[in-house]
Every structure is written in structure tokens, then in C-alpha cells.
Amino acid sequence: MSEEELKRWVMAILDLTTPPPTKYILTVKIDETDNLAYIHVGVDQLDGAGTFRVNAKGQLEYMPYMGKYRGIDEWILMSDKYMDTTIAEEYYKEQAKKTS
């Protein structure tokens, strides 16, 4: 999968959320220790919005910004196939219920 394809997949998920007041900055890197692709999401390089990664099964997972500091210790499955946003839609609906 190319860097542009990874960015499109992440943006398909981010498009389900309220857009930031400025633009997203997506940075892709392959981690040398686990050989997984990580996509860091920043907002105008000032703030982090979390990190996505493609796991060994080819699924897209998400770790919220400061996730581990807020009690999240596992990656959250957002998509099990390229450009499918079904799982992410359910995740964001559940998050909305928790905050209402």
C-alpha cells in the first residue's frame, strides 16, 4: 500500500469526525522494530489528534492522542478492510453516546 493510499484511508475515518479549525497534517512512517505502518495525525503541526497504524493483519487501528495517559492501553480497531468505515462509524456513535 502506498503512502497516499494510507493517507486516504485515514482521512476516510477522520471525515467521520468534526473537522478541525485548520488542516490535518498526516505523517507516515514504517516502524523499524515491528515493521508496521504508523500514520500520525497532527493539526497544523501544533497539536496531535492521535496515531493510526496498519497492523499485521492489514487492519487500520487508532490510538487517541494521549491515549495511554487517559487509560487507553490498546489500539482501537477502526477498519478491517481498505476504505471501509463501518467499524469507525460505530465507534464514533458510541463515543457520542458517552459524551451526551
Side-chain angles (χ1 to χ4, degrees):
M1 189 173 294
S2 73
E3 185 173 318
E4 282 307 309
E5 288 172 318
L6 288 170
K7 288 180 178 180
R8 275 196 296 272
W9 196 5
V10 169
M11 283 306 303
I13 302 298
L14 293 174
D15 284 343
L16 300 172
T17 66
T18 304
T22 56
K23 65 180 182 170
Y24 287 115
I25 307 292
L26 303 181
T27 307
V28 177
K29 78 171 188 116
I30 305 297
D31 187 277
E32 293 178 9
T33 57
D34 61 15
N35 291 317
L36 299 180
Y38 288 81
I39 306 92
H40 174 73
V41 180
V43 180
D44 262 353
Q45 298 180 342
L46 300 175
D47 189 18
T51 301
F52 289 82
R53 76 174 180 189
V54 178
N55 67 22
K57 296 177 183 177
Q59 301 167 316
L60 188 65
E61 299 175 315
Y62 175 62
M63 177 63 68
Y65 177 66
M66 302 290 285
K68 293 195 182 243
Y69 297 107
R70 293 193 177 146
I72 299 169
D73 59 359
E74 293 185 16
W75 288 84
I76 301 162
L77 180 64
M78 298 302 267
S79 179
D80 59 358
K81 17 183 201 240
Y82 183 65
M83 298 302 287
D84 183 351
T85 61
T86 307
I87 295 169
E89 289 170 17
E90 289 301 315
Y91 170 78
Y92 289 122
K93 282 180 190 173
E94 286 300 313
Q95 293 304 304
K97 286 180 188 176
K98 291 179 184 178
T99 59
S100 1

